[in-house]
Amino acid sequence: MTATNSDSESQKPSFETFRLFSSTDGDSTSSGFSFFDARQAPSIPPPPCIEVFASEASSSVEYNAESISLDGVTLLKGRVNTQEVFGLSNSDLVPGKYEGGLKLWEGSLDLIKALNSDIRSGHISFSKKRVLELGCGHGLPGIFTLLEGAAVVHFQDFNAEVLRCLTIPNVNTNKFGKHPSSSNMAISDKAEIRFFSGDWSEIDKLLPLVDNNAKDGPGYDFILMAETVYSISSLQTLYNLVKKCLRHPDGVAYMAAKKYYFGVGGGSRRFLSVVEKDGVMNSTLVAEITDGASNVREVWKLSFK
Protein backbone atom coordinates (compact mmCIF):
# COMPACT_ATOMS: atom_id res chain seq x y z
CA MET A 1 0.00 0.00 0.00
CA THR A 2 1.57 3.26 -1.13
CA ALA A 3 1.10 6.53 0.67
CA THR A 4 -1.66 8.63 -0.82
CA ASN A 5 -2.69 12.26 -0.42
CA SER A 6 -6.33 12.00 -1.42
CA ASP A 7 -7.43 13.40 1.94
CA SER A 8 -4.64 15.92 2.35
CA GLU A 9 -6.74 18.98 1.60
CA SER A 10 -9.35 18.17 4.21
CA GLN A 11 -6.80 17.20 6.86
CA LYS A 12 -3.99 19.68 6.25
CA PRO A 13 -1.79 19.95 9.37
CA SER A 14 -1.43 23.27 11.16
CA PHE A 15 2.34 22.87 11.62
CA GLU A 16 5.16 23.14 9.11
CA THR A 17 5.98 20.06 7.05
CA PHE A 18 9.02 19.51 4.88
CA ARG A 19 10.13 17.42 1.95
CA LEU A 20 13.48 15.90 2.74
CA PHE A 21 15.36 13.24 0.75
CA SER A 22 14.30 10.37 -1.45
CA SER A 23 12.85 7.09 -0.25
CA THR A 24 12.13 3.74 -1.89
CA ASP A 25 8.40 3.81 -1.23
CA GLY A 26 7.34 5.04 -4.64
CA ASP A 27 6.70 8.72 -3.85
CA SER A 28 7.08 10.32 -7.26
CA THR A 29 7.44 13.83 -5.82
CA SER A 30 10.69 12.93 -4.07
CA SER A 31 13.86 13.11 -6.18
CA GLY A 32 16.68 12.87 -3.67
CA PHE A 33 17.62 16.51 -4.19
CA SER A 34 14.70 18.16 -2.41
CA PHE A 35 15.38 21.35 -0.47
CA PHE A 36 14.23 22.11 3.01
CA ASP A 37 11.63 24.80 3.45
CA ALA A 38 13.55 27.92 4.44
CA ARG A 39 10.99 29.04 7.02
CA GLN A 40 11.80 28.63 10.68
CA ALA A 41 10.46 25.38 12.09
CA PRO A 42 8.29 25.66 15.18
CA SER A 43 9.88 24.81 18.50
CA ILE A 44 8.09 21.71 19.77
CA PRO A 45 9.20 19.79 22.86
CA PRO A 46 10.14 16.19 22.05
CA PRO A 47 7.84 13.35 23.10
CA PRO A 48 8.67 11.54 26.37
CA CYS A 49 11.02 8.56 26.23
CA ILE A 50 9.05 5.35 26.72
CA GLU A 51 9.32 1.64 26.09
CA VAL A 52 6.79 0.45 23.54
CA PHE A 53 5.82 -3.17 24.05
CA ALA A 54 5.32 -5.65 21.25
CA SER A 55 1.74 -6.16 22.43
CA GLU A 56 1.04 -2.52 21.54
CA ALA A 57 1.29 -3.13 17.80
CA SER A 58 -1.45 -1.15 16.09
CA SER A 59 -4.49 -3.01 14.80
CA SER A 60 -6.24 0.11 13.52
CA VAL A 61 -3.79 1.08 10.75
CA GLU A 62 -3.75 -0.83 7.49
CA TYR A 63 -0.46 -2.69 7.07
CA ASN A 64 0.56 -4.54 3.91
CA ALA A 65 3.78 -6.55 3.67
CA GLU A 66 5.93 -7.22 0.64
CA SER A 67 9.32 -8.87 0.13
CA ILE A 68 12.54 -7.06 -0.67
CA SER A 69 15.70 -8.80 -1.89
CA LEU A 70 19.24 -7.49 -1.38
CA ASP A 71 22.32 -9.43 -2.49
CA GLY A 72 20.79 -12.78 -1.62
CA VAL A 73 19.03 -11.53 1.52
CA THR A 74 15.24 -11.41 1.44
CA LEU A 75 13.28 -9.50 4.07
CA LEU A 76 9.62 -8.62 4.50
CA LYS A 77 8.66 -4.97 4.86
CA GLY A 78 5.35 -3.26 5.43
CA ARG A 79 3.67 -0.18 4.04
CA VAL A 80 1.47 2.12 6.05
CA ASN A 81 -0.12 5.44 5.18
CA THR A 82 1.49 8.52 6.73
CA GLN A 83 -1.83 10.34 6.45
CA GLU A 84 -3.55 7.57 8.40
CA VAL A 85 -0.94 7.45 11.17
CA PHE A 86 0.00 11.11 11.62
CA GLY A 87 -2.59 13.04 9.63
CA LEU A 88 0.16 14.06 7.19
CA SER A 89 0.52 13.71 3.45
CA ASN A 90 3.56 14.12 1.23
CA SER A 91 5.83 14.97 4.14
CA ASP A 92 9.14 13.42 5.11
CA LEU A 93 9.65 15.46 8.25
CA VAL A 94 7.79 17.56 10.77
CA PRO A 95 10.35 18.83 13.28
CA GLY A 96 9.48 17.76 16.81
CA LYS A 97 6.54 15.64 15.64
CA TYR A 98 7.51 13.20 12.89
CA GLU A 99 11.03 12.25 11.73
CA GLY A 100 10.29 10.27 8.58
CA GLY A 101 10.18 6.81 10.15
CA LEU A 102 7.33 5.47 8.01
CA LYS A 103 9.36 5.61 4.80
CA LEU A 104 12.08 3.22 3.73
CA TRP A 105 15.19 5.23 2.95
CA GLU A 106 17.98 4.06 0.66
CA GLY A 107 20.49 4.15 3.52
CA SER A 108 18.73 1.28 5.30
CA LEU A 109 19.23 -0.94 2.27
CA ASP A 110 22.83 0.24 1.83
CA LEU A 111 23.47 -0.65 5.46
CA ILE A 112 22.09 -4.18 5.11
CA LYS A 113 24.23 -4.78 2.04
CA ALA A 114 27.34 -3.52 3.87
CA LEU A 115 26.62 -5.69 6.91
CA ASN A 116 26.03 -8.74 4.73
CA SER A 117 29.28 -8.10 2.88
CA ASP A 118 31.24 -7.84 6.14
CA ILE A 119 29.63 -11.08 7.37
CA ARG A 120 30.56 -12.91 4.18
CA SER A 121 34.14 -11.66 4.39
CA GLY A 122 34.40 -12.81 8.00
CA HIS A 123 34.89 -9.33 9.45
CA ILE A 124 31.86 -9.49 11.76
CA SER A 125 29.32 -11.91 13.18
CA PHE A 126 26.01 -11.13 14.86
CA SER A 127 25.68 -14.52 16.53
CA LYS A 128 24.78 -13.98 20.20
CA LYS A 129 25.54 -10.26 19.89
CA ARG A 130 23.65 -7.25 21.31
CA VAL A 131 22.44 -4.72 18.76
CA LEU A 132 20.85 -1.26 18.96
CA GLU A 133 19.25 0.32 15.89
CA LEU A 134 18.86 4.08 16.26
CA GLY A 135 16.22 5.92 14.23
CA CYS A 136 15.01 2.51 13.13
CA GLY A 137 11.83 3.28 11.16
CA HIS A 138 11.12 0.01 9.34
CA GLY A 139 13.83 -1.67 11.40
CA LEU A 140 15.13 -3.79 8.53
CA PRO A 141 18.83 -3.63 9.52
CA GLY A 142 17.93 -4.74 13.05
CA ILE A 143 15.68 -7.49 11.67
CA PHE A 144 18.55 -8.62 9.47
CA THR A 145 20.78 -9.02 12.54
CA LEU A 146 18.06 -11.09 14.23
CA LEU A 147 18.03 -13.41 11.21
CA GLU A 148 21.81 -13.59 11.59
CA GLY A 149 21.54 -14.83 15.17
CA ALA A 150 21.71 -11.68 17.31
CA ALA A 151 20.74 -12.43 20.92
CA VAL A 152 19.48 -8.92 21.74
CA VAL A 153 18.11 -6.30 19.36
CA HIS A 154 16.68 -3.04 20.66
CA PHE A 155 14.92 -0.73 18.23
CA GLN A 156 14.73 3.04 18.83
CA ASP A 157 12.70 5.61 16.94
CA PHE A 158 11.69 9.17 17.73
CA ASN A 159 8.02 8.29 17.31
CA ALA A 160 6.16 5.64 19.31
CA GLU A 161 3.59 5.59 16.50
CA VAL A 162 6.25 4.39 14.05
CA LEU A 163 7.14 1.53 16.37
CA ARG A 164 3.49 0.53 16.91
CA CYS A 165 2.36 0.84 13.31
CA LEU A 166 5.43 -0.30 11.37
CA THR A 167 8.52 -1.53 13.26
CA ILE A 168 6.76 -4.07 15.50
CA PRO A 169 4.57 -5.39 12.64
CA ASN A 170 7.71 -5.73 10.48
CA VAL A 171 9.48 -7.71 13.19
CA ASN A 172 6.42 -9.93 13.66
CA THR A 173 6.02 -10.46 9.93
CA ASN A 174 9.65 -11.55 9.56
CA LYS A 175 9.43 -13.74 12.66
CA PHE A 176 6.01 -15.33 12.36
CA GLY A 177 4.93 -14.74 8.78
CA LYS A 178 5.59 -16.85 5.71
CA HIS A 179 9.18 -15.83 5.19
CA PRO A 180 10.80 -16.23 1.75
CA SER A 181 12.76 -19.46 1.47
CA SER A 182 15.91 -17.55 0.54
CA SER A 183 16.24 -16.31 4.11
CA ASN A 184 19.29 -18.01 5.58
CA MET A 185 18.05 -18.06 9.17
CA ALA A 186 14.98 -17.66 11.34
CA ILE A 187 14.52 -15.29 14.25
CA SER A 188 15.08 -17.19 17.47
CA ASP A 189 12.30 -17.32 20.04
CA LYS A 190 15.01 -16.71 22.64
CA ALA A 191 16.14 -13.39 21.15
CA GLU A 192 15.41 -10.34 23.30
CA ILE A 193 13.55 -7.82 21.14
CA ARG A 194 12.51 -4.50 22.66
CA PHE A 195 11.33 -1.14 21.37
CA PHE A 196 12.01 2.37 22.70
CA SER A 197 10.82 5.77 21.54
CA GLY A 198 12.02 9.24 22.35
CA ASP A 199 14.67 11.86 21.71
CA TRP A 200 18.37 11.01 21.45
CA SER A 201 19.20 13.45 24.24
CA GLU A 202 17.30 11.36 26.80
CA ILE A 203 16.84 7.84 25.44
CA ASP A 204 20.08 6.49 26.95
CA LYS A 205 18.50 6.76 30.41
CA LEU A 206 15.87 4.24 29.32
CA LEU A 207 17.98 1.75 27.38
CA PRO A 208 18.66 -1.28 29.61
CA LEU A 209 22.21 -1.99 28.40
CA VAL A 210 23.52 1.51 29.07
CA ASP A 211 25.13 2.35 32.41
CA ASN A 212 25.65 6.11 32.56
CA ASN A 213 27.74 5.78 35.70
CA ALA A 214 30.31 3.34 34.35
CA LYS A 215 32.84 4.08 31.65
CA ASP A 216 33.07 0.40 30.76
CA GLY A 217 29.39 -0.51 31.14
CA PRO A 218 27.87 -3.45 29.27
CA GLY A 219 26.78 -1.50 26.19
CA TYR A 220 25.85 -2.80 22.75
CA ASP A 221 28.19 -4.81 20.54
CA PHE A 222 26.77 -3.09 17.47
CA ILE A 223 24.93 0.18 16.87
CA LEU A 224 23.21 0.60 13.50
CA MET A 225 21.90 3.84 12.06
CA ALA A 226 20.73 4.85 8.61
CA GLU A 227 19.80 8.35 7.39
CA THR A 228 20.12 9.78 10.91
CA VAL A 229 22.61 12.60 10.26
CA TYR A 230 20.59 14.97 8.07
CA SER A 231 20.11 17.66 10.74
CA ILE A 232 23.15 19.64 11.87
CA SER A 233 21.52 20.46 15.20
CA SER A 234 21.33 16.80 16.21
CA LEU A 235 24.79 15.57 15.16
CA GLN A 236 26.54 16.16 18.49
CA THR A 237 23.63 14.65 20.43
CA LEU A 238 23.66 11.55 18.22
CA TYR A 239 27.41 11.13 18.56
CA ASN A 240 27.22 11.49 22.33
CA LEU A 241 24.54 8.80 22.39
CA VAL A 242 26.65 6.42 20.31
CA LYS A 243 29.57 6.80 22.73
CA LYS A 244 27.32 6.16 25.72
CA CYS A 245 25.65 3.09 24.24
CA LEU A 246 28.48 1.33 22.43
CA ARG A 247 30.35 -1.38 24.32
CA HIS A 248 33.86 -0.25 25.21
CA PRO A 249 36.40 -0.96 23.81
CA ASP A 250 35.28 -3.43 21.13
CA GLY A 251 31.84 -2.21 20.05
CA VAL A 252 31.28 -1.16 16.44
CA ALA A 253 28.81 1.37 15.01
CA TYR A 254 27.70 1.35 11.38
CA MET A 255 26.32 4.54 9.84
CA ALA A 256 24.69 4.76 6.41
CA ALA A 257 23.93 8.23 5.11
CA LYS A 258 24.13 10.59 2.20
CA LYS A 259 27.41 12.46 1.91
CA TYR A 260 25.46 15.73 1.98
CA TYR A 261 21.81 16.54 2.57
CA PHE A 262 21.21 19.54 0.36
CA GLY A 263 19.32 22.35 2.04
CA VAL A 264 19.66 21.00 5.59
CA GLY A 265 23.42 21.05 5.94
CA GLY A 266 23.89 17.62 7.50
CA GLY A 267 25.45 14.53 6.02
CA SER A 268 28.01 11.83 6.70
CA ARG A 269 30.95 14.21 6.36
CA ARG A 270 29.51 16.74 8.81
CA PHE A 271 28.92 13.94 11.31
CA LEU A 272 32.43 12.60 10.82
CA SER A 273 33.84 16.06 11.52
CA VAL A 274 32.19 15.83 14.96
CA VAL A 275 33.77 12.39 15.45
CA GLU A 276 37.20 13.60 14.35
CA LYS A 277 37.10 16.67 16.58
CA ASP A 278 36.35 14.52 19.62
CA GLY A 279 39.28 12.21 18.89
CA VAL A 280 37.83 9.19 20.73
CA MET A 281 36.72 7.05 17.77
CA ASN A 282 38.14 5.91 14.45
CA SER A 283 36.08 6.03 11.26
CA THR A 284 36.46 3.73 8.25
CA LEU A 285 34.66 4.01 4.92
CA VAL A 286 32.92 0.71 4.17
CA ALA A 287 31.03 1.54 0.98
CA GLU A 288 30.31 4.41 -1.40
CA ILE A 289 27.18 4.28 -3.55
CA THR A 290 26.86 6.42 -6.69
CA ASP A 291 23.90 4.82 -8.44
CA GLY A 292 22.18 8.06 -9.44
CA ALA A 293 19.14 7.39 -7.22
CA SER A 294 20.26 10.27 -5.00
CA ASN A 295 23.40 12.21 -4.21
CA VAL A 296 26.41 10.16 -3.11
CA ARG A 297 25.66 7.74 -0.27
CA GLU A 298 28.15 6.18 2.12
CA VAL A 299 28.43 3.54 4.81
CA TRP A 300 30.97 4.15 7.59
CA LYS A 301 32.19 2.06 10.49
CA LEU A 302 33.04 3.68 13.84
CA SER A 303 35.11 2.08 16.62
CA PHE A 304 36.93 3.22 19.73
CA LYS A 305 40.62 4.05 19.38
Side-chain angles (χ1 to χ4, degrees):
M1 174 179 175
T2 58
T4 63
N5 61 358
S6 59
D7 298 324
S8 60
E9 293 301 317
S10 61
Q11 299 187 42
K12 184 176 291 186
S14 59
F15 33 75
E16 296 289 352
T17 63
F18 304 99
R19 296 300 302 166
L20 195 55
F21 31 82
S22 63
S23 72
T24 64
D25 277 6
D27 187 345
S28 61
T29 64
S30 199
S31 65
F33 298 92
S34 303
F35 285 81
F36 230 42
D37 193 309
R39 289 171 290 181
Q40 183 67 35
S43 178
I44 302 174
C49 295
I50 61 172
E51 179 169 3
V52 177
F53 298 98
S55 60
E56 298 178 37
S58 175
S59 59
S60 61
V61 173
E62 185 175 357
Y63 169 93
N64 294 302
E66 59 188 35
S67 64
I68 182 168
S69 296
L70 305 163
D71 294 344
V73 176
T74 301
L75 300 172
L76 295 169
K77 62 170 286 290
R79 285 179 181 268
V80 296
N81 192 311
T82 309
Q83 173 78 27
E84 189 176 356
V85 178
F86 287 101
L88 305 173
S89 59
N90 289 329
S91 177
D92 296 340
L93 174 65
V94 181
K97 182 175 175 64
Y98 170 59
E99 296 290 341
L102 295 179
K103 296 198 175 189
L104 180 60
W105 307 106
E106 302 107 329
S108 294
L109 308 184
D110 297 336
L111 180 53
I112 294 171
K113 291 178 182 178
L115 295 175
N116 192 38
S117 177
D118 273 4
I119 290 171
R120 290 178 175 178
S121 63
H123 293 153
I124 59 172
S125 170
F126 287 104
S127 178
K128 301 181 180 180
K129 294 299 193 296
R130 299 170 297 188
V131 179
L132 171 65
E133 185 177 355
L134 296 173
C136 63
H138 279 70
L140 294 186
I143 291 169
F144 171 71
T145 68
L146 284 166
L147 291 168
E148 288 293 328
V152 174
V153 178
H154 293 166
F155 296 88
Q156 180 275 335
D157 197 89
F158 182 79
N159 297 108
E161 294 92 340
V162 169
L163 298 174
R164 295 186 184 109
C165 297
L166 187 60
T167 317
I168 296 173
N170 273 351
V171 171
N172 290 339
T173 297
N174 281 277
K175 184 175 182 179
F176 302 114
K178 185 178 180 181
H179 207 278
S181 58
S182 59
S183 175
N184 56 344
M185 297 181 71
I187 297 176
S188 171
D189 290 334
K190 297 181 180 180
E192 178 185 303
I193 306 171
R194 296 172 69 175
F195 307 88
F196 302 89
S197 70
D199 190 75
W200 290 329
S201 63
E202 299 287 337
I203 197 67
D204 61 287
K205 299 175 184 177
L206 189 61
L207 294 172
L209 292 184
V210 179
D211 186 348
N212 289 285
N213 298 315
K215 180 180 179 182
D216 297 324
Y220 293 88
D221 299 300
F222 291 95
I223 292 178
L224 311 178
M225 45 189 182
E227 311 273 19
T228 55
V229 296
Y230 55 86
S231 173
I232 290 180
S233 63
S234 66
L235 297 184
Q236 186 66 55
T237 301
L238 177 59
Y239 176 59
N240 291 342
L241 179 62
V242 170
K243 288 195 297 179
K244 288 179 180 178
C245 296
L246 195 61
R247 184 173 64 84
H248 194 279
D250 300 321
V252 178
Y254 280 82
M255 174 193 69
K258 293 178 177 64
K259 192 172 183 179
Y260 303 106
Y261 291 97
F262 296 110
V264 260
S268 59
R269 297 310 172 95
R270 288 299 293 264
F271 181 76
L272 292 172
S273 69
V274 174
V275 176
E276 183 179 358
K277 182 178 179 180
D278 184 53
V280 173
M281 305 189 79
N282 290 313
S283 58
T284 304
L285 181 63
V286 177
E288 182 180 78
I289 302 94
T290 55
D291 58 8
S294 67
N295 51 306
V296 178
R297 309 193 304 274
E298 299 177 329
V299 180
W300 287 82
K301 185 187 299 185
L302 305 177
S303 58
F304 290 109
K305 291 183 176 180

